[in-house]
Amino acid sequence: QQPNVDIADLMVNTSGKFVLLDKLLPRLKEEGHRILIFSQFKIMLDIIEDYLHHRQYKCERIDGSITGLKRQAAIDRFQSKTSKSGEEPFIMLLSTRA
């Protein structure tokens, strides 16, 4: 591996959909939008979550492993206008099988 290569850049360069996502997200965040990303596959949500982490985007996630109170807490954090950390998540990752 090359020492100065950003992992998120590697992820983006391997997929046209990531290229589009990488261009859209900064603009959508700047304009104050909230984003829902749906996938049938939890492994795809894992990959997207890694990308978001490397790009330092705060997100919430709901899939089949999130139940009851944790699910509602994630929804509440996503919908919140204010956050204790100063930045609320603007992306929600959702499994269509949740």
Side-chain angles (χ1 to χ4, degrees), residues 28-41:
L28 292 172
K29 183 175 183 178
E30 183 179 306
E31 294 174 359
H33 291 276
R34 297 290 179 101
I35 312 300
L36 301 176
I37 299 177
F38 294 88
S39 177
Q40 286 184 308
F41 306 103

Side-chain angles (χ1 to χ4, degrees), residues 49-97:
E49 191 171 31
D50 287 344
Y51 160 79
L52 295 172
H53 174 74
H54 286 288
R55 285 291 193 241
Q56 298 180 351
Y57 290 121
K58 194 156 170 52
C59 69
E60 291 293 336
R61 177 175 172 159
I62 296 178
D63 60 33
S65 66
I66 308 296
T67 58
L69 295 174
K70 289 181 180 180
R71 182 181 299 238
Q72 187 60 51
I75 293 168
D76 292 343
R77 284 190 300 271
F78 180 72
Q79 292 181 333
S80 173
K81 296 294 182 196
T82 59
S83 172
K84 293 177 185 173
S85 67
E87 184 178 339
E88 69 276 348
F90 87 109
I91 301 170
M92 174 72 83
L93 301 176
L94 298 156
S95 168
T96 55
R97 298 179 182 214

Side-chain angles (χ1 to χ4, degrees), residues 1-14 54-55:
Q1 284 196 3
Q2 300 171 0
N4 294 329
V5 175
D6 183 21
I7 293 174
D9 287 337
L10 288 174
M11 294 173 80
V12 167
N13 292 331
T14 60
H54 286 288
R55 285 291 193 241

